[in-house]
Amino acid sequence: MRRIMVTGSVLLALAGLLGARPPAAVALPLRLADTGGGSQLITAVAPSASSTTGTVRWWSLRAGRWVAAGSAPARFGASGLAEGASRKQGTYTTPTGLYDLPFAFGIKAAPPGTRYPYRRVGDRSWWCQDNAARSYNRWVEPRPADCRAAEAEHLITYPAQYARALVVGFNYDRPVRGRGAGIFLHVNGRGATAGCVSVPAAAMDRILAWADPVRRPHLAIGTRSGPTAVTRY
C-alpha cells in the first residue's frame, strides 16, 4: 500500500508539471541575428518564400525588453520573397534582410505625431529605377533626362499605395545596378505588391506616429524558417 501511495504522489506531481503553463515565447527581436542597434524594430514575416501575405509587427525596447507595440496583416511581392543580397530587379519579389528606414513620404500630409523626415509627393516627384541613370534608386524632382519615364515611378500616380510610406534602405546606400529600386513600406493597394511590403492605411498611420528616428528603427523582412528566415538577419 505504501508503494502504491508513493507512486500515486509521483504521478500527481508529473501531472502538475505537464499541466503547467509553458514559459512565455522568446520575443522575435531576441531571436534575430541583428536588430540594427536601435530601440525600435519592425518585423515583416511571411510563412514561406512563396507567400504573398504575412504579418508586420513593430517593437519597442523598454528597460532591456522588446515589447510589441502593434501588428497588422502584411502583403509582399506578387512572386513572394527573395534573398536581398542576390535579388534581381523586376522579379516582383520582396527582398529579405535587415534595412534602415531613411525617410518617410506621402501624397497625403504626415499623420499627427510623425517625427520622421517627411517629403510630400508632388506632380514632379519620381523614383528613378533606371539602371543607366546617375540617380538610380533615388527620389528625383523633377525627373532628370537620363532617367527614362518608362524606368521610373511617377509617385503621384499611386494615390492609395503612396498616400503615406517609409523608404526601405534596400540597395540604397551603395546601389548595385540590377539589384532593385524603390522598395517601400506603404499602404495596401488592390493586391500583392511589386516587391514592397504593404499594410492597411490605419496601420501605416500608427507606424509613422510610433517611429522615432532618434531610436534608429530598422525593418527586418524574412520568412518563418528556411534560408530566408527572418532570424538570420
Side-chain angles (χ1 to χ4, degrees):
M1 178 66 71
R2 180 179 176 83
R3 182 177 299 171
I4 293 173
M5 290 177 66
V6 170
T7 303
S9 299
V10 171
L11 289 174
L12 285 172
L14 287 172
L17 288 172
L18 291 173
R21 294 179 64 183
V26 176
L28 179 57
L30 291 175
R31 292 185 277 128
L32 267 60
D34 189 5
T35 59
S39 58
Q40 288 187 331
L41 179 71
I42 303 171
T43 56
V45 182
S48 69
S50 61
S51 300
T52 60
T53 60
T55 303
V56 160
R57 287 189 173 86
W58 46 107
W59 307 78
S60 296
L61 185 62
R62 300 175 183 168
R65 294 180 61 245
W66 284 102
V67 179
S71 67
R75 295 175 182 173
F76 299 98
S79 296
L81 294 83
E83 174 62 54
S86 56
R87 178 185 182 268
K88 296 186 184 303
Q89 186 165 329
T91 55
Y92 293 92
T93 54
T94 298
T96 60
L98 178 70
Y99 306 107
D100 64 352
L101 300 163
F103 64 91
F105 70 91
I107 295 170
K108 293 184 177 181
T114 299
R115 286 160 287 185
Y116 242 81
Y118 192 91
R119 297 188 70 168
R120 288 295 298 274
V121 173
D123 289 336
R124 304 200 311 164
S125 305
W126 295 73
W127 196 275
C128 184
Q129 300 178 356
D130 192 331
N131 282 282
R134 287 174 294 177
S135 51
Y136 175 68
N137 201 20
R138 286 292 184 273
W139 175 299
V140 289
E141 192 172 323
R143 180 179 54 81
D146 71 340
C147 181
R148 295 166 291 172
E151 298 295 329
E153 278 195 337
H154 194 193
L155 299 176
I156 205 165
T157 61
Y158 297 89
Q161 294 92 324
Y162 299 155
R164 294 181 176 124
L166 273 164
V167 175
V168 177
F170 165 73
N171 201 32
Y172 189 77
D173 287 339
R174 296 179 179 84
V176 176
R177 311 285 167 152
R179 182 66 46 82
I183 299 298
F184 312 124
L185 172 60
H186 64 67
V187 176
N188 284 340
R190 292 183 177 179
T193 73
C196 297
V197 179
S198 73
V199 293
M204 193 70 235
D205 288 356
R206 292 198 301 272
I207 291 170
L208 285 173
W210 161 87
D212 184 351
V214 173
R215 299 179 66 182
R216 295 183 292 157
H218 283 66
L219 170 63
I221 304 171
T223 53
R224 289 178 188 165
S225 59
T228 54
V230 70
T231 51
R232 293 182 54 244
Y233 304 109

